[in-house]
Amino acid sequence: KVLINKGKVGCGGTTVALTDNRDTIVCVPFVNLIKNKCKQNKEVLGVYSGVTVDKINEYIETHKIKKIMCTYDQLPRLAGIVGYNYFLLVDELHLLFLQYIFRDTAIRGVLNEYKNFKDWAFLTATPIESEFMLDELKDIPVYNIEWESKREITVEAVKCDSVKSTIASIIEKFLNNEIEGNAHIFVNSVKFIATKIKYFDFEETQCRAIWSKNNKEYKNSCAGIPNSDTLSKPKKINFYTSTCFEGCDLYDEDGKIFIVSEGSKAQTNYDIFTSIRQIAGRIRNTQYRNIE
């Protein structure tokens, strides 16, 4: 029963929880993260909106060791079905703090339920200063993992008069092979992504885009490009919103990361200690070490 600061992203914290020999529930913020992990491990059951009680019970009856992933929102419902005789791992601890205001029902559900489990832990690669820790978690001991070696990432800030023009110029250079590799662009605005897709008139062979399935304006398609999957084949140009900022495994040896922050857009302002740290490790196997 501890808060674990794992020290770096991509070190396999959730993988350990999903592959050991005890019954486990891993509670995470995003559906995309669940689908990403379930696609890599077929023995894991993903529980989110639309997953029925019958499907959950069928899984429980047919698996000796239970490995379940659920969203923050679904933890109370899941606990009501399967009980509390599980190890509960609440992943991306920092998001409980960052999303408390606009996901208060989901966060409150986690904070009300976690103590009922026979064993539990909270996990993050982005530690929270003690004065900002949620009151419900302040008295829990913190365990910091220290690594003998860490991969150094260089973040290069690019100040520009027009973010859209600068990104358009970068994309054009990738398309013309003036910049080697593939562009992976993280920006928390589907509208921004739509403007770039329209401007370049992208086809599916050139561009991949991933955003929240709950987006009402862009449900299944963004300017003609479908909402893709995190483990699909990367394209020359790849766009991601915040649904992929935390926990998802992306793979592209030729992937280069770009983080877009528009000061005029409230939803795209980045906290240098949270989003950038998380995004830095999203492409697990890239040969490049720089982020712009």
Side-chain angles (χ1 to χ4, degrees):
K1 298 179 179 180
V2 67
L3 306 182
I4 303 172
N5 170 25
K6 60 183 181 179
K8 63 179 180 179
V9 299
C11 61
T14 54
T15 299
V16 171
L18 292 173
T19 54
D20 63 16
N21 60 359
R22 59 179 170 176
D23 293 339
T24 302
I25 294 174
V26 177
C27 188
V28 299
F30 303 119
V31 174
N32 259 324
L33 175 50
I34 294 176
K35 291 182 176 180
N36 179 271
K37 297 296 184 183
C38 287
K39 192 169 182 179
Q40 297 178 76
N41 188 337
K42 302 299 184 182
E43 296 303 310
V44 176
L45 173 68
V47 176
Y48 39 86
S49 179
V51 176
T52 65
V53 175
D54 288 343
K55 185 171 183 178
I56 296 171
N57 285 331
E58 180 184 0
Y59 176 86
I60 298 301
E61 293 170 2
T62 56
H63 286 73
K64 184 177 180 180
I65 298 176
K66 286 78 173 175
K67 297 294 182 182
I68 306 173
M69 293 188 74
C70 73
T71 56
Y72 292 165
D73 313 66
Q74 291 291 310
L75 183 61
R77 181 174 82 98
L78 178 61
I81 298 170
V82 305
Y84 296 94
N85 196 29
Y86 286 78
F87 168 64
L88 172 69
L89 179 67
V90 181
D91 200 9
E92 312 300 349
L93 163 63
H94 56 286
L95 288 186
L96 294 177
F97 166 74
L98 293 173
Q99 298 187 351
Y100 193 92
I101 293 177
F102 61 92
R103 290 186 68 181
D104 59 308
T105 301
I107 304 305
R108 178 57 53 191
V110 173
L111 297 176
N112 288 340
E113 291 285 349
Y114 80 90
K115 286 185 177 179
N116 296 323
F117 286 85
K118 70 172 186 178
D119 200 6
W120 47 264
F122 291 80
L123 182 66
T124 185
T126 307
I128 300 173
E129 297 295 333
S130 58
E131 65 259 40
F132 300 122
M133 184 63 69
L134 294 172
D135 290 340
E136 295 88 342
L137 306 178
K138 278 188 174 180
D139 296 328
I140 301 174
V142 177
Y143 180 79
N144 295 304
I145 299 176
E146 299 293 337
W147 299 88
E148 290 184 2
S149 62
K150 292 184 180 180
R151 189 179 73 177
E152 295 296 327
I153 300 291
T154 302
V155 179
E156 299 178 3
V158 179
K159 187 176 181 180
C160 45
D161 294 329
S162 170
V163 172
K164 291 182 179 179
S165 296
T166 301
I167 288 297
S169 176
I170 290 171
I171 290 173
E172 190 166 5
K173 288 178 180 178
F174 271 97
L175 295 175
N176 293 333
N177 295 317
E178 295 176 46
I179 301 178
E180 63 180 8
N182 301 322
H184 292 255
I185 301 169
F186 292 77
V187 53
N188 199 18
S189 169
V190 189
K191 287 185 177 180
F192 182 97
I193 295 172
T195 62
K196 292 294 158 280
I197 293 174
K198 290 177 181 178
Y199 180 81
F200 286 98
D201 193 22
F202 280 127
E203 298 179 356
E204 287 187 48
T205 55
Q206 301 171 298
C207 176
R208 177 177 71 166
I210 303 173
W211 64 94
S212 173
K213 299 293 191 292
N214 295 323
N215 189 297
K216 294 180 181 179
E217 184 175 358
Y218 300 94
K219 188 67 176 177
N220 299 310
S221 175
C222 177
I225 297 297
N227 199 344
S228 192
D229 178 83
T230 51
L231 293 179
S232 61
K233 184 178 179 180
K235 306 294 175 59
K236 176 60 71 173
I237 308 298
N238 305 269
F239 292 103
Y240 312 97
T241 65
S242 61
T243 191
C244 295
F245 288 6
E246 321 280 341
C248 285
D249 298 326
L250 303 173
Y251 295 95
D252 183 7
E253 292 182 358
D254 298 317
K256 289 184 175 179
I257 292 177
F258 296 83
I259 300 175
V260 178
S261 179
E262 282 193 285
S264 61
K265 305 286 186 179
Q267 77 271 23
T268 61
N269 285 336
Y270 282 83
D271 184 330
I272 190 69
F273 298 112
T274 56
S275 297
I276 290 179
R277 179 192 285 261
Q278 288 290 329
I279 293 169
R282 290 282 65 83
I283 305 180
R284 303 306 197 196
N285 63 338
T286 179
Q287 61 180 302
Y288 301 108
R289 296 291 180 266
N290 288 7
I291 296 174
E292 293 188 21

mmCIF file with all atom_site columns, all heavy atoms in Angstrom, residues 79-101:
data_model
loop_
_atom_site.group_PDB
_atom_site.id
_atom_site.type_symbol
_atom_site.label_atom_id
_atom_site.label_alt_id
_atom_site.label_comp_id
_atom_site.label_asym_id
_atom_site.label_entity_id
_atom_site.label_seq_id
_atom_site.pdbx_PDB_ins_code
_atom_site.Cartn_x
_atom_site.Cartn_y
_atom_site.Cartn_z
_atom_site.occupancy
_atom_site.B_iso_or_equiv
_atom_site.pdbx_formal_charge
_atom_site.auth_seq_id
_atom_site.auth_comp_id
_atom_site.auth_asym_id
_atom_site.auth_atom_id
_atom_site.pdbx_PDB_model_num
ATOM 1   N N   . ALA A 1 79  ? -15.903 -3.177  -9.489  1.00 0.00 ? 79  ALA A N   1
ATOM 2   C CA  . ALA A 1 79  ? -15.792 -3.713  -8.133  1.00 0.00 ? 79  ALA A CA  1
ATOM 3   C C   . ALA A 1 79  ? -17.110 -4.322  -7.677  1.00 0.00 ? 79  ALA A C   1
ATOM 4   O O   . ALA A 1 79  ? -17.127 -5.350  -6.972  1.00 0.00 ? 79  ALA A O   1
ATOM 5   C CB  . ALA A 1 79  ? -15.361 -2.607  -7.171  1.00 0.00 ? 79  ALA A CB  1
ATOM 6   N N   . GLY A 1 80  ? -18.213 -3.733  -8.099  1.00 0.00 ? 80  GLY A N   1
ATOM 7   C CA  . GLY A 1 80  ? -19.518 -4.277  -7.740  1.00 0.00 ? 80  GLY A CA  1
ATOM 8   C C   . GLY A 1 80  ? -19.790 -5.624  -8.372  1.00 0.00 ? 80  GLY A C   1
ATOM 9   O O   . GLY A 1 80  ? -20.605 -6.411  -7.862  1.00 0.00 ? 80  GLY A O   1
ATOM 10  N N   . ILE A 1 81  ? -19.103 -5.911  -9.471  1.00 0.00 ? 81  ILE A N   1
ATOM 11  C CA  . ILE A 1 81  ? -19.297 -7.190  -10.174 1.00 0.00 ? 81  ILE A CA  1
ATOM 12  C C   . ILE A 1 81  ? -18.330 -8.255  -9.679  1.00 0.00 ? 81  ILE A C   1
ATOM 13  O O   . ILE A 1 81  ? -18.727 -9.400  -9.398  1.00 0.00 ? 81  ILE A O   1
ATOM 14  C CB  . ILE A 1 81  ? -19.116 -6.994  -11.689 1.00 0.00 ? 81  ILE A CB  1
ATOM 15  C CG1 . ILE A 1 81  ? -20.159 -6.011  -12.232 1.00 0.00 ? 81  ILE A CG1 1
ATOM 16  C CG2 . ILE A 1 81  ? -19.209 -8.339  -12.426 1.00 0.00 ? 81  ILE A CG2 1
ATOM 17  C CD1 . ILE A 1 81  ? -19.902 -5.571  -13.662 1.00 0.00 ? 81  ILE A CD1 1
ATOM 18  N N   . VAL A 1 82  ? -17.042 -7.909  -9.540  1.00 0.00 ? 82  VAL A N   1
ATOM 19  C CA  . VAL A 1 82  ? -16.013 -8.916  -9.246  1.00 0.00 ? 82  VAL A CA  1
ATOM 20  C C   . VAL A 1 82  ? -15.562 -8.910  -7.793  1.00 0.00 ? 82  VAL A C   1
ATOM 21  O O   . VAL A 1 82  ? -14.849 -9.827  -7.366  1.00 0.00 ? 82  VAL A O   1
ATOM 22  C CB  . VAL A 1 82  ? -14.784 -8.730  -10.166 1.00 0.00 ? 82  VAL A CB  1
ATOM 23  C CG1 . VAL A 1 82  ? -15.203 -8.756  -11.627 1.00 0.00 ? 82  VAL A CG1 1
ATOM 24  C CG2 . VAL A 1 82  ? -14.046 -7.427  -9.854  1.00 0.00 ? 82  VAL A CG2 1
ATOM 25  N N   . GLY A 1 83  ? -15.929 -7.879  -7.029  1.00 0.00 ? 83  GLY A N   1
ATOM 26  C CA  . GLY A 1 83  ? -15.499 -7.819  -5.634  1.00 0.00 ? 83  GLY A CA  1
ATOM 27  C C   . GLY A 1 83  ? -14.151 -7.141  -5.458  1.00 0.00 ? 83  GLY A C   1
ATOM 28  O O   . GLY A 1 83  ? -13.601 -6.548  -6.392  1.00 0.00 ? 83  GLY A O   1
ATOM 29  N N   . TYR A 1 84  ? -13.601 -7.275  -4.243  1.00 0.00 ? 84  TYR A N   1
ATOM 30  C CA  . TYR A 1 84  ? -12.392 -6.533  -3.873  1.00 0.00 ? 84  TYR A CA  1
ATOM 31  C C   . TYR A 1 84  ? -11.193 -7.435  -3.571  1.00 0.00 ? 84  TYR A C   1
ATOM 32  O O   . TYR A 1 84  ? -10.175 -6.960  -3.085  1.00 0.00 ? 84  TYR A O   1
ATOM 33  C CB  . TYR A 1 84  ? -12.678 -5.666  -2.654  1.00 0.00 ? 84  TYR A CB  1
ATOM 34  C CG  . TYR A 1 84  ? -13.718 -4.599  -2.907  1.00 0.00 ? 84  TYR A CG  1
ATOM 35  C CD1 . TYR A 1 84  ? -15.061 -4.826  -2.603  1.00 0.00 ? 84  TYR A CD1 1
ATOM 36  C CD2 . TYR A 1 84  ? -13.374 -3.383  -3.466  1.00 0.00 ? 84  TYR A CD2 1
ATOM 37  C CE1 . TYR A 1 84  ? -16.023 -3.852  -2.840  1.00 0.00 ? 84  TYR A CE1 1
ATOM 38  C CE2 . TYR A 1 84  ? -14.326 -2.398  -3.706  1.00 0.00 ? 84  TYR A CE2 1
ATOM 39  C CZ  . TYR A 1 84  ? -15.653 -2.644  -3.393  1.00 0.00 ? 84  TYR A CZ  1
ATOM 40  O OH  . TYR A 1 84  ? -16.594 -1.680  -3.635  1.00 0.00 ? 84  TYR A OH  1
ATOM 41  N N   . ASN A 1 85  ? -11.306 -8.711  -3.896  1.00 0.00 ? 85  ASN A N   1
ATOM 42  C CA  . ASN A 1 85  ? -10.208 -9.642  -3.594  1.00 0.00 ? 85  ASN A CA  1
ATOM 43  C C   . ASN A 1 85  ? -9.156  -9.618  -4.704  1.00 0.00 ? 85  ASN A C   1
ATOM 44  O O   . ASN A 1 85  ? -8.772  -10.651 -5.265  1.00 0.00 ? 85  ASN A O   1
ATOM 45  C CB  . ASN A 1 85  ? -10.752 -11.054 -3.405  1.00 0.00 ? 85  ASN A CB  1
ATOM 46  C CG  . ASN A 1 85  ? -9.759  -11.966 -2.727  1.00 0.00 ? 85  ASN A CG  1
ATOM 47  O OD1 . ASN A 1 85  ? -8.929  -11.524 -1.933  1.00 0.00 ? 85  ASN A OD1 1
ATOM 48  N ND2 . ASN A 1 85  ? -9.829  -13.250 -3.043  1.00 0.00 ? 85  ASN A ND2 1
ATOM 49  N N   . TYR A 1 86  ? -8.689  -8.410  -5.013  1.00 0.00 ? 86  TYR A N   1
ATOM 50  C CA  . TYR A 1 86  ? -7.730  -8.176  -6.086  1.00 0.00 ? 86  TYR A CA  1
ATOM 51  C C   . TYR A 1 86  ? -6.653  -7.221  -5.599  1.00 0.00 ? 86  TYR A C   1
ATOM 52  O O   . TYR A 1 86  ? -6.866  -6.441  -4.659  1.00 0.00 ? 86  TYR A O   1
ATOM 53  C CB  . TYR A 1 86  ? -8.412  -7.531  -7.299  1.00 0.00 ? 86  TYR A CB  1
ATOM 54  C CG  . TYR A 1 86  ? -9.277  -8.443  -8.115  1.00 0.00 ? 86  TYR A CG  1
ATOM 55  C CD1 . TYR A 1 86  ? -10.553 -8.791  -7.686  1.00 0.00 ? 86  TYR A CD1 1
ATOM 56  C CD2 . TYR A 1 86  ? -8.842  -8.949  -9.336  1.00 0.00 ? 86  TYR A CD2 1
ATOM 57  C CE1 . TYR A 1 86  ? -11.366 -9.623  -8.442  1.00 0.00 ? 86  TYR A CE1 1
ATOM 58  C CE2 . TYR A 1 86  ? -9.632  -9.781  -10.095 1.00 0.00 ? 86  TYR A CE2 1
ATOM 59  C CZ  . TYR A 1 86  ? -10.897 -10.119 -9.649  1.00 0.00 ? 86  TYR A CZ  1
ATOM 60  O OH  . TYR A 1 86  ? -11.699 -10.940 -10.400 1.00 0.00 ? 86  TYR A OH  1
ATOM 61  N N   . PHE A 1 87  ? -5.504  -7.270  -6.269  1.00 0.00 ? 87  PHE A N   1
ATOM 62  C CA  . PHE A 1 87  ? -4.528  -6.190  -6.133  1.00 0.00 ? 87  PHE A CA  1
ATOM 63  C C   . PHE A 1 87  ? -4.938  -5.101  -7.103  1.00 0.00 ? 87  PHE A C   1
ATOM 64  O O   . PHE A 1 87  ? -5.104  -5.347  -8.301  1.00 0.00 ? 87  PHE A O   1
ATOM 65  C CB  . PHE A 1 87  ? -3.115  -6.676  -6.458  1.00 0.00 ? 87  PHE A CB  1
ATOM 66  C CG  . PHE A 1 87  ? -2.116  -5.549  -6.620  1.00 0.00 ? 87  PHE A CG  1
ATOM 67  C CD1 . PHE A 1 87  ? -1.796  -4.729  -5.557  1.00 0.00 ? 87  PHE A CD1 1
ATOM 68  C CD2 . PHE A 1 87  ? -1.523  -5.303  -7.853  1.00 0.00 ? 87  PHE A CD2 1
ATOM 69  C CE1 . PHE A 1 87  ? -0.894  -3.685  -5.707  1.00 0.00 ? 87  PHE A CE1 1
ATOM 70  C CE2 . PHE A 1 87  ? -0.620  -4.268  -8.020  1.00 0.00 ? 87  PHE A CE2 1
ATOM 71  C CZ  . PHE A 1 87  ? -0.308  -3.450  -6.932  1.00 0.00 ? 87  PHE A CZ  1
ATOM 72  N N   . LEU A 1 88  ? -5.119  -3.882  -6.613  1.00 0.00 ? 88  LEU A N   1
ATOM 73  C CA  . LEU A 1 88  ? -5.514  -2.754  -7.443  1.00 0.00 ? 88  LEU A CA  1
ATOM 74  C C   . LEU A 1 88  ? -4.317  -1.850  -7.685  1.00 0.00 ? 88  LEU A C   1
ATOM 75  O O   . LEU A 1 88  ? -3.695  -1.363  -6.734  1.00 0.00 ? 88  LEU A O   1
ATOM 76  C CB  . LEU A 1 88  ? -6.628  -1.951  -6.762  1.00 0.00 ? 88  LEU A CB  1
ATOM 77  C CG  . LEU A 1 88  ? -6.997  -0.624  -7.456  1.00 0.00 ? 88  LEU A CG  1
ATOM 78  C CD1 . LEU A 1 88  ? -7.673  -0.890  -8.802  1.00 0.00 ? 88  LEU A CD1 1
ATOM 79  C CD2 . LEU A 1 88  ? -7.897  0.224   -6.554  1.00 0.00 ? 88  LEU A CD2 1
ATOM 80  N N   . LEU A 1 89  ? -3.997  -1.626  -8.957  1.00 0.00 ? 89  LEU A N   1
ATOM 81  C CA  . LEU A 1 89  ? -2.956  -0.669  -9.328  1.00 0.00 ? 89  LEU A CA  1
ATOM 82  C C   . LEU A 1 89  ? -3.616  0.498   -10.039 1.00 0.00 ? 89  LEU A C   1
ATOM 83  O O   . LEU A 1 89  ? -4.193  0.338   -11.115 1.00 0.00 ? 89  LEU A O   1
ATOM 84  C CB  . LEU A 1 89  ? -1.920  -1.320  -10.246 1.00 0.00 ? 89  LEU A CB  1
ATOM 85  C CG  . LEU A 1 89  ? -0.791  -0.388  -10.718 1.00 0.00 ? 89  LEU A CG  1
ATOM 86  C CD1 . LEU A 1 89  ? 0.099   0.018   -9.533  1.00 0.00 ? 89  LEU A CD1 1
ATOM 87  C CD2 . LEU A 1 89  ? 0.053   -1.042  -11.806 1.00 0.00 ? 89  LEU A CD2 1
ATOM 88  N N   . VAL A 1 90  ? -3.554  1.683   -9.425  1.00 0.00 ? 90  VAL A N   1
ATOM 89  C CA  . VAL A 1 90  ? -4.086  2.896   -10.047 1.00 0.00 ? 90  VAL A CA  1
ATOM 90  C C   . VAL A 1 90  ? -2.929  3.582   -10.766 1.00 0.00 ? 90  VAL A C   1
ATOM 91  O O   . VAL A 1 90  ? -2.006  4.100   -10.136 1.00 0.00 ? 90  VAL A O   1
ATOM 92  C CB  . VAL A 1 90  ? -4.720  3.835   -9.002  1.00 0.00 ? 90  VAL A CB  1
ATOM 93  C CG1 . VAL A 1 90  ? -5.275  5.067   -9.696  1.00 0.00 ? 90  VAL A CG1 1
ATOM 94  C CG2 . VAL A 1 90  ? -5.833  3.107   -8.231  1.00 0.00 ? 90  VAL A CG2 1
ATOM 95  N N   . ASP A 1 91  ? -2.987  3.556   -12.089 1.00 0.00 ? 91  ASP A N   1
ATOM 96  C CA  . ASP A 1 91  ? -1.885  4.092   -12.901 1.00 0.00 ? 91  ASP A CA  1
ATOM 97  C C   . ASP A 1 91  ? -2.101  5.572   -13.207 1.00 0.00 ? 91  ASP A C   1
ATOM 98  O O   . ASP A 1 91  ? -3.217  6.077   -13.177 1.00 0.00 ? 91  ASP A O   1
ATOM 99  C CB  . ASP A 1 91  ? -1.794  3.299   -14.205 1.00 0.00 ? 91  ASP A CB  1
ATOM 100 C CG  . ASP A 1 91  ? -0.432  3.439   -14.866 1.00 0.00 ? 91  ASP A CG  1
ATOM 101 O OD1 . ASP A 1 91  ? 0.487   4.004   -14.241 1.00 0.00 ? 91  ASP A OD1 1
ATOM 102 O OD2 . ASP A 1 91  ? -0.286  2.977   -16.019 1.00 0.00 ? 91  ASP A OD2 1
ATOM 103 N N   . GLU A 1 92  ? -1.010  6.263   -13.544 1.00 0.00 ? 92  GLU A N   1
ATOM 104 C CA  . GLU A 1 92  ? -1.015  7.686   -13.886 1.00 0.00 ? 92  GLU A CA  1
ATOM 105 C C   . GLU A 1 92  ? -1.584  8.506   -12.720 1.00 0.00 ? 92  GLU A C   1
ATOM 106 O O   . GLU A 1 92  ? -2.512  9.317   -12.883 1.00 0.00 ? 92  GLU A O   1
ATOM 107 C CB  . GLU A 1 92  ? -1.788  7.948   -15.177 1.00 0.00 ? 92  GLU A CB  1
ATOM 108 C CG  . GLU A 1 92  ? -1.437  7.035   -16.336 1.00 0.00 ? 92  GLU A CG  1
ATOM 109 C CD  . GLU A 1 92  ? 0.036   7.109   -16.767 1.00 0.00 ? 92  GLU A CD  1
ATOM 110 O OE1 . GLU A 1 92  ? 0.746   8.020   -16.306 1.00 0.00 ? 92  GLU A OE1 1
ATOM 111 O OE2 . GLU A 1 92  ? 0.466   6.255   -17.562 1.00 0.00 ? 92  GLU A OE2 1
ATOM 112 N N   . LEU A 1 93  ? -1.002  8.319   -11.542 1.00 0.00 ? 93  LEU A N   1
ATOM 113 C CA  . LEU A 1 93  ? -1.442  9.006   -10.329 1.00 0.00 ? 93  LEU A CA  1
ATOM 114 C C   . LEU A 1 93  ? -1.585  10.517  -10.513 1.00 0.00 ? 93  LEU A C   1
ATOM 115 O O   . LEU A 1 93  ? -2.532  11.134  -10.001 1.00 0.00 ? 93  LEU A O   1
ATOM 116 C CB  . LEU A 1 93  ? -0.451  8.709   -9.194  1.00 0.00 ? 93  LEU A CB  1
ATOM 117 C CG  . LEU A 1 93  ? -0.479  9.615   -7.959  1.00 0.00 ? 93  LEU A CG  1
ATOM 118 C CD1 . LEU A 1 93  ? -1.816  9.499   -7.246  1.00 0.00 ? 93  LEU A CD1 1
ATOM 119 C CD2 . LEU A 1 93  ? 0.671   9.268   -7.019  1.00 0.00 ? 93  LEU A CD2 1
ATOM 120 N N   . HIS A 1 94  ? -0.663  11.133  -11.236 1.00 0.00 ? 94  HIS A N   1
ATOM 121 C CA  . HIS A 1 94  ? -0.692  12.590  -11.389 1.00 0.00 ? 94  HIS A CA  1
ATOM 122 C C   . HIS A 1 94  ? -1.968  13.089  -12.046 1.00 0.00 ? 94  HIS A C   1
ATOM 123 O O   . HIS A 1 94  ? -2.395  14.221  -11.821 1.00 0.00 ? 94  HIS A O   1
ATOM 124 C CB  . HIS A 1 94  ? 0.528   13.054  -12.201 1.00 0.00 ? 94  HIS A CB  1
ATOM 125 C CG  . HIS A 1 94  ? 0.641   12.403  -13.545 1.00 0.00 ? 94  HIS A CG  1
ATOM 126 N ND1 . HIS A 1 94  ? 1.038   11.098  -13.710 1.00 0.00 ? 94  HIS A ND1 1
ATOM 127 C CD2 . HIS A 1 94  ? 0.375   12.883  -14.786 1.00 0.00 ? 94  HIS A CD2 1
ATOM 128 C CE1 . HIS A 1 94  ? 1.028   10.794  -14.993 1.00 0.00 ? 94  HIS A CE1 1
ATOM 129 N NE2 . HIS A 1 94  ? 0.625   11.855  -15.665 1.00 0.00 ? 94  HIS A NE2 1
ATOM 130 N N   . LEU A 1 95  ? -2.632  12.217  -12.854 1.00 0.00 ? 95  LEU A N   1
ATOM 131 C CA  . LEU A 1 95  ? -3.850  12.647  -13.515 1.00 0.00 ? 95  LEU A CA  1
ATOM 132 C C   . LEU A 1 95  ? -5.035  12.725  -12.557 1.00 0.00 ? 95  LEU A C   1
ATOM 133 O O   . LEU A 1 95  ? -6.016  13.419  -12.841 1.00 0.00 ? 95  LEU A O   1
ATOM 134 C CB  . LEU A 1 95  ? -4.183  11.714  -14.677 1.00 0.00 ? 95  LEU A CB  1
ATOM 135 C CG  . LEU A 1 95  ? -3.267  11.842  -15.902 1.00 0.00 ? 95  LEU A CG  1
ATOM 136 C CD1 . LEU A 1 95  ? -3.767  10.976  -17.043 1.00 0.00 ? 95  LEU A CD1 1
ATOM 137 C CD2 . LEU A 1 95  ? -3.154  13.293  -16.365 1.00 0.00 ? 95  LEU A CD2 1
ATOM 138 N N   . LEU A 1 96  ? -4.962  12.016  -11.427 1.00 0.00 ? 96  LEU A N   1
ATOM 139 C CA  . LEU A 1 96  ? -6.019  12.168  -10.432 1.00 0.00 ? 96  LEU A CA  1
ATOM 140 C C   . LEU A 1 96  ? -6.069  13.612  -9.951  1.00 0.00 ? 96  LEU A C   1
ATOM 141 O O   . LEU A 1 96  ? -7.132  14.163  -9.668  1.00 0.00 ? 96  LEU A O   1
ATOM 142 C CB  . LEU A 1 96  ? -5.775  11.233  -9.238  1.00 0.00 ? 96  LEU A CB  1
ATOM 143 C CG  . LEU A 1 96  ? -5.861  9.734   -9.509  1.00 0.00 ? 96  LEU A CG  1
ATOM 144 C CD1 . LEU A 1 96  ? -5.533  8.960   -8.245  1.00 0.00 ? 96  LEU A CD1 1
ATOM 145 C CD2 . LEU A 1 96  ? -7.238  9.346   -10.018 1.00 0.00 ? 96  LEU A CD2 1
ATOM 146 N N   . PHE A 1 97  ? -4.896  14.208  -9.853  1.00 0.00 ? 97  PHE A N   1
ATOM 147 C CA  . PHE A 1 97  ? -4.803  15.619  -9.456  1.00 0.00 ? 97  PHE A CA  1
ATOM 148 C C   . PHE A 1 97  ? -5.150  16.547  -10.622 1.00 0.00 ? 97  PHE A C   1
ATOM 149 O O   . PHE A 1 97  ? -5.974  17.454  -10.495 1.00 0.00 ? 97  PHE A O   1
ATOM 150 C CB  . PHE A 1 97  ? -3.395  15.920  -8.934  1.00 0.00 ? 97  PHE A CB  1
ATOM 151 C CG  . PHE A 1 97  ? -3.073  17.378  -8.805  1.00 0.00 ? 97  PHE A CG  1
ATOM 152 C CD1 . PHE A 1 97  ? -3.620  18.131  -7.782  1.00 0.00 ? 97  PHE A CD1 1
ATOM 153 C CD2 . PHE A 1 97  ? -2.236  18.006  -9.717  1.00 0.00 ? 97  PHE A CD2 1
ATOM 154 C CE1 . PHE A 1 97  ? -3.340  19.487  -7.665  1.00 0.00 ? 97  PHE A CE1 1
ATOM 155 C CE2 . PHE A 1 97  ? -1.939  19.361  -9.605  1.00 0.00 ? 97  PHE A CE2 1
ATOM 156 C CZ  . PHE A 1 97  ? -2.490  20.100  -8.575  1.00 0.00 ? 97  PHE A CZ  1
ATOM 157 N N   . LEU A 1 98  ? -4.557  16.299  -11.785 1.00 0.00 ? 98  LEU A N   1
ATOM 158 C CA  . LEU A 1 98  ? -4.717  17.215  -12.911 1.00 0.00 ? 98  LEU A CA  1
ATOM 159 C C   . LEU A 1 98  ? -6.131  17.209  -13.486 1.00 0.00 ? 98  LEU A C   1
ATOM 160 O O   . LEU A 1 98  ? -6.589  18.220  -14.025 1.00 0.00 ? 98  LEU A O   1
ATOM 161 C CB  . LEU A 1 98  ? -3.719  16.854  -14.016 1.00 0.00 ? 98  LEU A CB  1
ATOM 162 C CG  . LEU A 1 98  ? -2.241  17.071  -13.682 1.00 0.00 ? 98  LEU A CG  1
ATOM 163 C CD1 . LEU A 1 98  ? -1.361  16.519  -14.791 1.00 0.00 ? 98  LEU A CD1 1
ATOM 164 C CD2 . LEU A 1 98  ? -1.953  18.552  -13.456 1.00 0.00 ? 98  LEU A CD2 1
ATOM 165 N N   . GLN A 1 99  ? -6.845  16.070  -13.374 1.00 0.00 ? 99  GLN A N   1
ATOM 166 C CA  . GLN A 1 99  ? -8.165  15.966  -13.980 1.00 0.00 ? 99  GLN A CA  1
ATOM 167 C C   . GLN A 1 99  ? -9.304  16.044  -12.959 1.00 0.00 ? 99  GLN A C   1
ATOM 168 O O   . GLN A 1 99  ? -10.468 15.819  -13.302 1.00 0.00 ? 99  GLN A O   1
ATOM 169 C CB  . GLN A 1 99  ? -8.272  14.653  -14.771 1.00 0.00 ? 99  GLN A CB  1
ATOM 170 C CG  . GLN A 1 99  ? -7.299  14.558  -15.920 1.00 0.00 ? 99  GLN A CG  1
ATOM 171 C CD  . GLN A 1 99  ? -7.539  13.339  -16.797 1.00 0.00 ? 99  GLN A CD  1
ATOM 172 O OE1 . GLN A 1 99  ? -8.326  12.456  -16.463 1.00 0.00 ? 99  GLN A OE1 1
ATOM 173 N NE2 . GLN A 1 99  ? -6.857  13.291  -17.930 1.00 0.00 ? 99  GLN A NE2 1
ATOM 174 N N   . TYR A 1 100 ? -8.972  16.358  -11.733 1.00 0.00 ? 100 TYR A N   1
ATOM 175 C CA  . TYR A 1 100 ? -9.976  16.327  -10.666 1.00 0.00 ? 100 TYR A CA  1
ATOM 176 C C   . TYR A 1 100 ? -11.161 17.233  -10.962 1.00 0.00 ? 100 TYR A C   1
ATOM 177 O O   . TYR A 1 100 ? -12.317 16.873  -10.709 1.00 0.00 ? 100 TYR A O   1
ATOM 178 C CB  . TYR A 1 100 ? -9.339  16.732  -9.338  1.00 0.00 ? 100 TYR A CB  1
ATOM 179 C CG  . TYR A 1 100 ? -10.205 16.436  -8.134  1.00 0.00 ? 100 TYR A CG  1
ATOM 180 C CD1 . TYR A 1 100 ? -10.079 15.232  -7.447  1.00 0.00 ? 100 TYR A CD1 1
ATOM 181 C CD2 . TYR A 1 100 ? -11.151 17.350  -7.693  1.00 0.00 ? 100 TYR A CD2 1
ATOM 182 C CE1 . TYR A 1 100 ? -10.878 14.945  -6.351  1.00 0.00 ? 100 TYR A CE1 1
ATOM 183 C CE2 . TYR A 1 100 ? -11.959 17.075  -6.606  1.00 0.00 ? 100 TYR A CE2 1
ATOM 184 C CZ  . TYR A 1 100 ? -11.822 15.875  -5.935  1.00 0.00 ? 100 TYR A CZ  1
ATOM 185 O OH  . TYR A 1 100 ? -12.614 15.597  -4.860  1.00 0.00 ? 100 TYR A OH  1
ATOM 186 N N   . ILE A 1 101 ? -10.917 18.418  -11.512 1.00 0.00 ? 101 ILE A N   1
ATOM 187 C CA  . ILE A 1 101 ? -11.987 19.397  -11.710 1.00 0.00 ? 101 ILE A CA  1
ATOM 188 C C   . ILE A 1 101 ? -12.986 18.923  -12.758 1.00 0.00 ? 101 ILE A C   1
ATOM 189 O O   . ILE A 1 101 ? -14.199 18.964  -12.540 1.00 0.00 ? 101 ILE A O   1
ATOM 190 C CB  . ILE A 1 101 ? -11.401 20.764  -12.099 1.00 0.00 ? 101 ILE A CB  1
ATOM 191 C CG1 . ILE A 1 101 ? -10.601 21.348  -10.921 1.00 0.00 ? 101 ILE A CG1 1
ATOM 192 C CG2 . ILE A 1 101 ? -12.509 21.728  -12.506 1.00 0.00 ? 101 ILE A CG2 1
ATOM 193 C CD1 . ILE A 1 101 ? -9.930  22.673  -11.233 1.00 0.00 ? 101 ILE A CD1 1
#
